[in-house]
Amino acid sequence: MLMQPGILPPEDAESIEIPSGRCNLTQGSVLLEEVVRVRRGYSHVDNPTTATVVTTFFLGACYFQLEKHNASWFYLREAMTVAQMLEMQDESSYALGDVDGMMRRQLFWLLFSAERAYALHKHRPLTLHATIQLPYVQETSEIAAVTGLSYMVNLFRIIDDDFSSYWNKSRSGCCPNWLAQLQRQLTEALPEDMKCTDIQMADLKVTQQWLRTIVWQLATASGCLSSTSADLSMTFSYPIEIARELLSMASRIPQHCLEVHGIGLIEKLFDISCTLVDVISCVPIETASFEVEPQDYLNQLIHLISTLRGGKSRYLGLLQTKIRDTLPSVEASFSLSLMANIPNLKYESSGSSSSTPYGSPSMPIMDSLHYPTIGTKFPMSSLTGFTSTPVTMSMPPTSTITDIDPYQPHYGSPL
């Protein structure tokens, strides 16, 4: 990359040393800076190609891993803008049987899903919409790749402009029936007999449960939940069911299928866990009505996060702080011994990641662990039948954009 034809290397090129061993963060930063420098040497805006979109998208992924979220969002938006310049959003621009058109179609839906995942995290407006057909299979070798991407798109198509406007608080007064319908759509978006690999299934199932949690959070903030609702998804205890289904899936899939997705999947597990903590804290629960007590589900989530690469380094400590702040009276009942030595945690990168561009980023030094909350109030009378002072339910922050999994040879699917 330092020897590109017609492009002079930087004056200090000879002094650039790419270290070996565990310092993958330094290696990646050096290469990222060089890619950006080389890219300035040609007019990629005036003469965009599909490769321009791919390069821009992966630049955004790199900056996301470095937790430079403004830069990450900028490059993701730039990738979407170039895609629109190439008319990827126009079905008439695709020729039947065109190999490049198939790649462009997959790339469009990858950007579509990535934008929605990031928009949920950062409360951003949506740009791309479902204006073209889903990818189709041209060769047998593409079946798993195309099917996995299509499943992911089916999940994120449910997050539309209406949901975005309520989530971003530009509109208010969403209807309980509409939210219940979204929950049904999320449940039905993935078939029981999924034609995909275990790695894809892990990402898809966790994303599904995370999106159900997000919709439930909106229902809570909108005052649409009821302890007497006949629809379980519209009750205060629904996150317990989400945790149950999530852990049931995780118990049937090899751990490496979860771990390959890196820190993005852990963030989703973290969001689901924090929501469960809030429910245990605020909702009167008849434990006899559950085969497994909610606290046991929380214990299992804690264990799962602690065993995934990158989970113990940061999110386990954050979850510990969340439990200490929210459930001080029952903290001792949890298996927190795993987190006993995580105060004033400092993280160091530990080797090269085998994941994809959004997998296992190095985490920043953290001198204090804290958990941002959004004060969402609901009256306890709606739960118990008695009038009392509203209780503040500390809702978890939305997750960051998630990992890209190699759903097909050329592009990954975020989430």
Side-chain angles (χ1 to χ4, degrees), residues 1-4 6-14 16 34 37:
M1 292 181 62
L2 294 175
M3 301 300 295
Q4 288 291 324
I7 300 180
L8 296 177
E11 295 179 0
D12 61 345
E14 296 182 358
I16 297 178
E34 187 59 19
R37 185 191 69 81

Side-chain angles (χ1 to χ4, degrees), residues 145-380:
V146 173
T147 302
L149 178 59
S150 298
Y151 287 152
M152 191 64 75
V153 171
N154 287 340
L155 286 172
F156 277 95
R157 288 176 76 164
I158 298 169
I159 307 301
D160 57 10
D161 283 329
D162 287 336
F163 185 90
S164 177
S165 62
Y166 288 120
W167 185 251
N168 295 333
K169 299 181 179 180
S170 59
R171 293 174 61 185
S172 60
C174 56
C175 174
N177 290 336
W178 174 72
L179 290 168
Q181 181 183 3
L182 292 183
Q183 293 286 14
R184 288 192 293 272
Q185 289 175 349
L186 286 171
T187 300
E188 297 168 358
L190 301 180
E192 292 185 8
D193 183 21
M194 294 174 61
K195 308 296 184 182
C196 62
T197 66
D198 283 348
I199 290 177
Q200 293 172 327
M201 182 177 296
D203 193 18
L204 289 164
K205 288 290 189 177
V206 172
T207 298
Q208 180 189 44
Q209 302 306 328
W210 176 68
L211 290 174
R212 292 168 76 182
T213 301
I214 293 293
V215 174
W216 183 88
Q217 289 180 17
L218 179 59
T220 303
S222 303
C224 295
L225 300 182
S226 169
S227 59
T228 60
S229 175
D231 189 332
L232 180 61
S233 69
M234 298 305 292
T235 65
F236 293 102
S237 61
Y238 188 54
I240 300 173
E241 174 65 15
I242 291 175
R244 185 193 67 78
E245 292 189 20
L246 173 63
L247 291 166
S248 175
M249 177 277 298
S251 68
R252 300 191 302 269
I253 292 182
Q255 181 165 320
H256 75 269
C257 294
L258 294 165
E259 191 164 76
V260 71
H261 299 290
I263 211 72
L265 183 139
I266 297 174
E267 289 176 337
K268 293 176 182 178
L269 295 175
F270 173 76
D271 280 355
I272 293 170
S273 300
C274 289
T275 303
L276 182 59
V277 170
D278 284 322
V279 169
I280 294 173
S281 170
C282 297
V283 179
I285 298 173
E286 291 291 338
T287 57
S289 62
F290 297 96
E291 294 183 6
V292 179
E293 293 189 10
Q295 290 89 341
D296 293 327
Y297 289 137
L298 182 56
N299 268 328
Q300 293 176 48
L301 285 168
I302 290 171
H303 177 74
L304 178 59
I305 291 173
S306 71
T307 56
L308 294 176
R309 184 180 58 224
K312 190 172 183 179
S313 64
R314 179 183 186 185
Y315 290 94
L316 200 59
L318 289 171
L319 188 53
Q320 178 187 28
T321 302
K322 171 68 174 178
I323 294 173
R324 284 175 176 170
D325 291 345
T326 310
L327 298 169
S329 62
V330 295
E331 179 187 4
S333 67
F334 297 116
S335 300
L336 296 176
S337 58
L338 292 169
M339 302 182 287
N341 299 315
I342 317 184
N344 299 327
L345 176 151
K346 295 181 183 295
Y347 176 89
E348 293 183 356
S349 176
S350 57
S352 176
S353 169
S354 62
S355 181
T356 47
Y358 276 49
S360 301
S362 61
M363 307 306 296
I365 291 176
M366 300 177 65
D367 291 323
S368 62
L369 296 175
H370 67 281
Y371 181 80
T373 60
I374 302 173
T376 303
K377 296 187 176 182
F378 57 87
M380 291 300 293

Side-chain angles (χ1 to χ4, degrees), residues 32-52:
L32 176 60
E33 292 173 3
E34 187 59 19
V35 169
V36 173
R37 185 191 69 81
V38 170
R39 199 164 185 253
R40 296 194 188 104
Y42 71 98
S43 181
H44 62 275
V45 175
D46 291 335
N47 302 289
T49 64
T50 301
T52 307

